[in-house]
Amino acid sequence: QSTWGKMGRYVVAILSSGYHLTLCELEVYSASIITNQLNVASLNTTQSSELPVDSPVSSKAVENSTDSSYYGGYCSATDGLQLNWWFVDLGSILPIATVKIIGPTDCCLTDNNGAKVYIVDNIDTAFLEDLANNIEDFCGPVTHPDTHISCHGKVGQYVVIYSNVNSPIVVCSVEVFHLNAGNPFLEGNIAVIRPTSSATQSSTVTTHIASLAIDGVETPGQMECSMTGNSGLNWWILDLGQKYSIDVVRVYISQSANPEIIDGIVGTKLYIANTIDSWYLELLSNNQPEGTISTNSPFTDIQCHGVPGQYIVLLNNGSLQLCEVQVIPGLKNTDILLGREMTQVKIHDSEGCCSRIHHAISYWIDIQSCVLVGKVVISIKAQNSGVSTALDVKVFVLDGLSYAFQMEELAENTNDRCGSVTDLGRSIVDCGSRSGSYIAVLIAGGDHIVWDVQAYPAT
């Protein structure tokens, strides 16, 4: 239920006498992040068709009328045949907070049932026909005549109401609210609830589930925060659904919780990972983090400087209470090894996508063009707990392939060497803008699994 900025101290639910008032959960969100309402009356609207009577054109849904009468001529309507859609062109790409849709009060009360709202970047006929299969841009369903849909900052230029159930779309008012353009964390935040991302945690205290830290509410009270137990190593993990180059992570903590919990957040370590399992989490806790929450301030910004990864991991030996986690990706750095084949020399056997290494091995990846390489990210783990964790890994940027097949010569090549890795887990090797067409890695000794290799161009 939207109250649209009404101010007050108390929220009251009233039910007529003679009935039990049963509430499973009540959530209250401040309007602090919904700051800008678009003037949609000045924007272009389009719909798939219109009924042949009463002229229910698409623009009637954005006339800012307070009347929701269809027969009074204040609503748009499609003809209900085959695919039905209505959209408004916002004029530019914007992060959308919420969409409010009001249907008619004097007819067609169930016509919008089955309709869905999407935020998309482009519009064409083929795209609209396949929109029902698009889960990435889906905001939510139209469930009743007065529907308030949260889009959690989805970015796009078009707000689309779509139905493929052979029922008209009848809309009397559409209001669109975008996130505050003055806050880059709201504009670019990719840590939001959506079909391709998910949050999990080591344990859950009462109703403080992990997803409360990515619900888009940045200044909540204690009840809107995720929370783990306080025994052993506790973790909170966000799966972004794909790999990103991460610039900044902002972490909000509660200011109304128990002082011991607030102070216990200090020392929480943040990691960016490309794979997650229980073994890897234990190993990760001993690695150098991207940053640490060092104060009990309302929020902490951790600079990650373009480190790539799919998982945002927060680790703490006490209770983890997180009110919001926002992740800002880098826009320039992309993994230049994506889709490239890796050739391995003197490999003895393999396990799936990884390499089981018994002796010294070199392998190389053809970048297929000459690139100034900035950083190489390599993830390695031991095959089993009995294997020594000692590593001797060297990373090179090469112009040609002759060295890759001669391990002794490659090991002595200091001119093209970026650096060395001596620890398990994920390591970042700075190549200092070395120019080359191949990434080569030489691993000597141990029985390890090469989990992932990425390379990023110099900026």
Side-chain angles (χ1 to χ4, degrees):
Q1 176 65 43
S2 173
T3 58
W4 294 97
K6 284 185 171 59
M7 298 183 66
R9 180 176 178 180
Y10 301 96
V11 177
V12 183
I14 300 176
L15 184 64
S16 301
S17 60
Y19 296 92
H20 295 288
L21 178 59
T22 304
L23 303 175
C24 297
E25 183 178 3
L26 179 67
E27 297 180 352
V28 180
Y29 296 87
S30 72
S32 60
I33 66 168
I34 305 173
T35 55
N36 296 316
Q37 180 177 3
L38 289 169
N39 179 19
V40 291
S42 64
L43 302 177
N44 294 323
T45 60
T46 310
Q47 61 188 22
S48 55
S49 59
E50 61 185 58
L51 289 174
V53 294
D54 301 322
S55 300
V57 296
S58 64
S59 60
K60 290 189 174 181
V62 295
E63 290 179 341
N64 292 329
S65 172
T66 58
D67 197 324
S68 299
S69 168
Y70 173 79
Y71 292 116
Y74 294 100
C75 307
S76 68
T78 64
D79 62 14
L81 302 177
Q82 298 180 344
L83 296 179
N84 292 269
W85 44 261
W86 178 101
F87 70 79
V88 57
D89 182 353
L90 304 179
S92 62
I93 294 176
L94 292 169
I96 304 303
T98 54
V99 177
K100 183 180 181 182
I101 298 171
I102 298 177
T105 55
D106 56 353
C107 84
C108 327
L109 297 181
T110 62
D111 280 351
N112 291 336
N113 288 356
K116 300 177 180 179
V117 174
Y118 297 82
I119 307 297
V120 301
D121 292 334
N122 58 73
I123 290 287
D124 59 42
T125 301
F127 183 81
L128 286 167
E129 289 177 351
D130 195 46
L131 199 57
N133 299 318
N134 183 340
I135 62 173
E136 178 68 20
D137 300 320
F138 173 62
C139 282
V142 180
T143 54
H144 45 77
D146 184 350
T147 298
H148 169 215
I149 298 171
S150 178
C151 295
H152 298 292
K154 287 187 182 296
V155 176
Q157 182 170 338
Y158 301 89
V159 177
V160 184
I161 307 172
Y162 176 88
S163 175
N164 61 351
V165 294
N166 293 339
S167 180
I169 292 176
V170 186
V171 181
C172 304
S173 175
V174 176
E175 298 177 12
V176 181
F177 294 77
H178 68 90
L179 295 173
N180 187 347
N183 186 345
F185 285 90
L186 293 177
E187 287 187 25
N189 179 31
I190 56 175
V192 292
I193 300 171
R194 53 185 175 176
T196 57
S197 63
S198 60
T200 55
Q201 58 190 15
S202 52
S203 61
T204 299
V205 174
T206 61
T207 60
H208 298 280
I209 59 177
S211 60
L212 287 176
I214 54 170
D215 60 1
V217 183
E218 64 175 17
T219 54
Q222 183 178 352
M223 294 306 295
E224 289 83 33
C225 305
S226 68
M227 187 174 181
T228 70
N230 59 7
S231 61
L233 179 66
N234 292 285
W235 49 262
W236 181 92
I237 298 172
L238 171 64
D239 180 355
L240 296 171
Q242 66 183 66
K243 292 177 182 177
Y244 290 90
S245 172
I246 308 300
D247 275 356
V248 187
V249 176
R250 172 173 286 188
V251 181
Y252 286 84
I253 66 174
S254 174
Q255 298 298 294
S256 58
N258 184 306
E260 292 182 1
I261 294 177
I262 296 176
D263 293 339
I265 292 292
V266 175
T268 297
K269 298 177 181 179
L270 182 139
Y271 300 86
I272 298 173
N274 294 306
T275 183
I276 290 293
D277 56 33
S278 58
W279 178 93
Y280 192 72
L281 282 172
E282 290 289 343
L283 177 66
L284 203 61
S285 65
N286 296 318
N287 282 8
Q288 183 71 24
E290 305 304 331
T292 302
I293 298 177
S294 56
T295 72
N296 58 7
S297 301
F299 68 84
T300 297
D301 289 342
I302 297 176
Q303 304 292 328
C304 299
H305 306 289
V307 172
Q310 179 172 336
Y311 300 92
I312 305 298
V313 183
L314 288 161
L315 296 179
N316 194 336
N317 288 320
S319 179
L320 263 176
Q321 187 177 56
L322 307 171
C323 292
E324 195 69 15
V325 177
Q326 298 173 339
V327 180
I328 307 302
L331 301 179
K332 297 181 179 180
N333 291 338
T334 55
D335 182 6
I336 56 179
L337 302 185
L338 284 175
R340 308 304 189 207
E341 293 186 2
M342 181 172 68
T343 300
Q344 301 179 345
V345 183
K346 292 188 179 180
I347 185 169
H348 295 276
D349 55 16
S350 63
E351 295 185 356
C353 66
C354 309
S355 307
R356 185 173 182 178
I357 304 164
H358 290 284
H359 303 290
I361 178 174
S362 69
Y363 59 94
W364 52 269
I365 306 135
D366 186 353
I367 306 174
Q368 298 182 4
S369 63
C370 187
V371 175
L372 291 175
V373 178
K375 290 181 173 62
V376 172
V377 182
I378 183 168
S379 298
I380 301 174
K381 79 173 188 178
Q383 175 63 25
N384 56 66
S385 58
V387 172
S388 169
T389 58
L391 282 177
D392 181 9
V393 179
K394 296 180 175 65
V395 179
F396 305 83
V397 177
L398 303 174
D399 290 327
L401 293 179
S402 59
Y403 277 121
F405 295 93
Q406 303 174 38
M407 294 187 189
E408 291 184 3
E409 288 82 353
L410 185 62
E412 299 301 321
N413 180 356
T414 57
N415 292 330
D416 300 317
R417 184 191 304 169
C418 295
S420 300
V421 175
T422 57
D423 298 319
L424 292 176
R426 182 180 60 80
S427 299
I428 302 173
V429 179
D430 189 347
C431 291
S433 300
R434 278 182 168 77
S435 174
S437 302
Y438 299 89
I439 302 295
V441 178
L442 176 65
I443 302 179
D447 189 356
H448 303 99
I449 288 178
V450 178
W451 199 258
D452 190 37
V453 180
Q454 303 162 12
Y456 291 82
T459 56

